């Protein structure tokens, strides 16, 4: 369908296709008439937030008539203490997606370039395109590499030029679950020219249990051109509240704060995030569940003859060895929502988030059924 205002839109907007989110449970209920649905499509924490966080949310609700603290004082203090950086180095966002968009808005324009990897998280392409800047998409590692479809830092470095302003690195990456070790990643950042900002997206940081996996938040003082993004949407179980943040040197944070909407994070989200940060036990429980269950789902997929990309996130990229769209549809009919990833140029794969033991059991049974059918 043509849009009569297309010619009036900013050039970057004209070719933009909206982000494709995981199918909501209510939509599947409406469209297919199925109930008792299991959603394993958006890499959420199946345990949700802890009781302590829910209590903080209830308490913060008393203040709803008031605007939130535009500077997020308390949350920034808590994050500064957690990461050992000054509070001026923290930029809060309406999810980490918001800070990724702020970075693009702040540092890109037509004529500028941004580098990211093939199969990288879809939002990088969207936020770059919206600014009218040019994408430079690096080839990813091949399917038979130890990090199949993962970021190839040499290929990315080769695309950095005089017009590059941003390089996006997801560690680990979604939808592949692949990751980069500290030595190689820090060497890559160190070698970047001064006019290039490295954005290291650590949305799944808390889940990762791999030797040599770095905490790039500890490098912010060392590299003035580094931005690390984190979120409360994954291991902290707060995806619905929309709260994330960036850590960077004070100069970059200053610029991001100039374009940030003053009230881009709600009072409830700020209060919940402060409480969630304190609830170390809940995160540990969530990670433990994920580690055990990811192993179980991976082995079950392998027993069904499917290929599994080794993942350090809370999701698995599963190779169906044939077009995955019919399996996605058949799983929907069985009341299980997973994520097709053809839009990531992975038409034979499905991305499956790790749920509770019960949810994963449903998935495994449904998967066996649709493969046999
Ligand atoms: C790699 C990566 N970065 C960032 C995000 C954005 O998450 P949020 O905006 O909820 O913080 C996601 C969400 O799926 C992700 O997978």
């Amino acid at each position: 369908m043509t849009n009569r205002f297309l010619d009036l839109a900013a050039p970057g907007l004209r070719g933009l296709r909206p982000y494709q989110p995981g199918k909501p449970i209510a939509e599947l209920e409406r469209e297919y008439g199925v109930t008792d649905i299991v959603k394993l499509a958006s890499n959420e924490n199946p345990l949700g937030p802890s009781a302590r966080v829910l209590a903080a949310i209830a308490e913060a609700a008393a203040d709803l008539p008031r605007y939130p603290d535009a500077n997020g004082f308390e949350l920034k203090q808590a994050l500064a203490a957690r990461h050992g950086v000054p509070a001026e180095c923290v930029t809060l966002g309406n999810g980490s997606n918001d800070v990724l968009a702020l970075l693009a808005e702040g540092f890109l324009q037509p004529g500028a370039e941004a580098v990211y990897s093939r199969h990288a998280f879809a939002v990088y392409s969207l936020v770059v395109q919206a600014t009218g800047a040019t994408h430079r998409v690096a080839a990813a590692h091949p399917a038979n590499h130890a990090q199949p479809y993962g970021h190839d830092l040499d290929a990315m470095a080769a695309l950095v030029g005089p017009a590059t302003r941003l390089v996006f690195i997801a560690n680990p990456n979604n939808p592949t679950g692949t990751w980069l070790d500290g030595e190689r990643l820090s060497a890559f950042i160190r070698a970047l020219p001064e006019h290039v900002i490295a954005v290291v997206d650590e949305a799944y940081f808390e889940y990762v249990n791999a030797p040599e996996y770095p905490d790039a938040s500890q490098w912010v003082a060392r590299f003035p051109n580094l931005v690390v993004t984190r979120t409360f949407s994954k291991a902290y179980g707060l995806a619905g509240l929309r709260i994330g943040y960036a850590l960077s040197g004070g100069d970059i944070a200053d610029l991001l704060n100039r374009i940030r909407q003053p009230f881009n994070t709600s009072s409830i989200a700020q209060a919940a995030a402060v409480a969630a940060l304190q609830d170390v036990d809940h995160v540990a429980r969530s990670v433990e569940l994920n580690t055990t269950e990811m192993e179980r789902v991976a082995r079950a997929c392998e027993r069904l003859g499917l290929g599994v990309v080794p993942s350090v996130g809370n999701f698995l990229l599963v190779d169906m060895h044939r077009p995955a769209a019919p399996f996605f549809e058949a799983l929907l009919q069985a009341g299980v929502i997973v994520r097709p990833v053809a839009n990531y140029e992975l038409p034979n794969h499905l991305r499956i988030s790790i749920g509770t033991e019960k949810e994963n059991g449903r998935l495994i049974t449904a998967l066996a059924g649709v493969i046999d059918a």
Side-chain angles (χ1 to χ4, degrees), residues 79-85 185-186 189 200 202 205 213-224 226-230 245 247-248:
L79 290 169
R82 165 64 58 95
H83 294 287
V85 299
L185 182 56
S186 61
I189 297 168
V200 177
E202 294 185 337
F205 177 87
Y213 174 74
D215 175 353
S217 77
Q218 298 307 302
W219 302 342
V220 162
R222 204 187 326 160
F223 299 121
L226 171 64
V227 181
V228 177
T229 62
R230 295 276 187 103
Y245 58 100
L247 301 166
S248 66

Side-chain angles (χ1 to χ4, degrees), residues 262-278:
F263 304 110
N264 66 335
T265 62
S266 72
S267 48
I268 292 193
Q270 289 180 23
V274 170
L277 270 180
Q278 292 161 0

